[in-house]
Amino acid sequence: MKTTTYSLPRLLILLALPVLLASCEQDTYDKGTGDLSLMQAEMVETYATAEKQLSRAVTDEGVELKFTKPYEAKWAEKTDTAYRAVLYYNKVKEGAEPISCSQLSTAVILPLDSFKTGVVQNPVRFESAWVSKTRKYLNVGIFLLTGEAPTKESRHLLAIADDSLALNADGTRTQFLRLYHKRGDMPEYYSQRFYFSIPLHNVKADSVALSINTYEGTVMKKLMMGN
């Protein structure tokens, strides 16, 4: 039996905006147009059973979607591999009819000693954060103030720092995380929405608390890992 591996591109260095967001369609995630619409949108793990061919997906609610036909994705280069993605599809009797599938960036949790110059937290605008029902991912939506990159090397840098593990009064444990964001010389002319996922397979706690520096001050988003 073949073993499925997982391709989780590290969101440690981003390409200069807005090129990355345009190419990955990060600003278009929407759950659909209503209960009566055939089209749905989900954050998923999608599986390549052949080179650049996706055949099925599992949603963040744990629902398996079998595609009515293979979907060609140029970024799905490895077979027997699961990729994090945003899937748009028509829900039909035969299964899921894929419309588009864009790879979703992931930010692995890095130890504090990975940040040699400290955890930089240039401000962002916070939108939302939630743990998937499968408890495999912490999903985050933010707005980055950006503009035309002054040089080819200009970029936003994003990562997740593992801050500490705390024991609460009720005996539960909370894993504290910090959003690393270094704007560099990128201008701040307009907002661009960006979604990414944080894999939680190495988190051994009852809850996670993500600290995000915003233009209005620090936001601490605490989320339970349980049902």
Side-chain angles (χ1 to χ4, degrees), residues 15 25 27 29 58 81 126 133 154 165 169 174 176 183-184 199:
L15 300 178
E25 300 179 12
D27 194 35
Y29 175 66
V58 177
T81 299
F126 173 73
K133 288 189 177 181
S154 300
L165 180 66
T174 299
F176 285 87
R183 187 179 64 250

Side-chain angles (χ1 to χ4, degrees), residues 193-215:
R193 181 188 281 122
F194 182 68
Y195 290 102
F196 62 94
S197 294
I198 304 169
L200 297 175
H201 56 273
N202 288 328
V203 173
K204 309 300 181 184
D206 304 285
S207 60
V208 290
L210 178 62
S211 172
I212 301 173
N213 185 33
T214 75
Y215 291 92

Side-chain angles (χ1 to χ4, degrees), residues 15 56 95 117 128 151 170 219:
L15 300 178
R56 65 185 181 93
T117 59
S128 58
T151 70
D170 60 0
V219 171

Side-chain angles (χ1 to χ4, degrees), residues 33-38 40:
T33 57
D35 294 338
L36 300 179
S37 174
L38 287 176
Q40 307 287 326

Side-chain angles (χ1 to χ4, degrees), residues 13-17 149-157 181-186:
I13 298 179
L14 299 183
L15 300 178
L17 298 178
T151 70
K152 291 182 179 180
E153 290 73 32
S154 300
R155 66 195 68 192
H156 288 269
L157 304 182
H181 172 226
K182 186 175 182 180
R183 187 179 64 250
D185 60 350
M186 291 294 291

Side-chain angles (χ1 to χ4, degrees), residues 66-96:
K66 294 184 178 180
F67 295 172
T68 56
K69 58 182 179 180
Y71 180 85
E72 183 177 359
K74 295 180 179 179
W75 42 264
E77 297 180 348
K78 298 179 180 179
T79 61
D80 300 308
T81 299
Y83 293 89
R84 189 69 172 149
V86 175
L87 172 69
Y88 283 84
Y89 66 99
N90 287 329
K91 189 175 182 181
V92 295
K93 184 183 298 184
E94 296 79 11

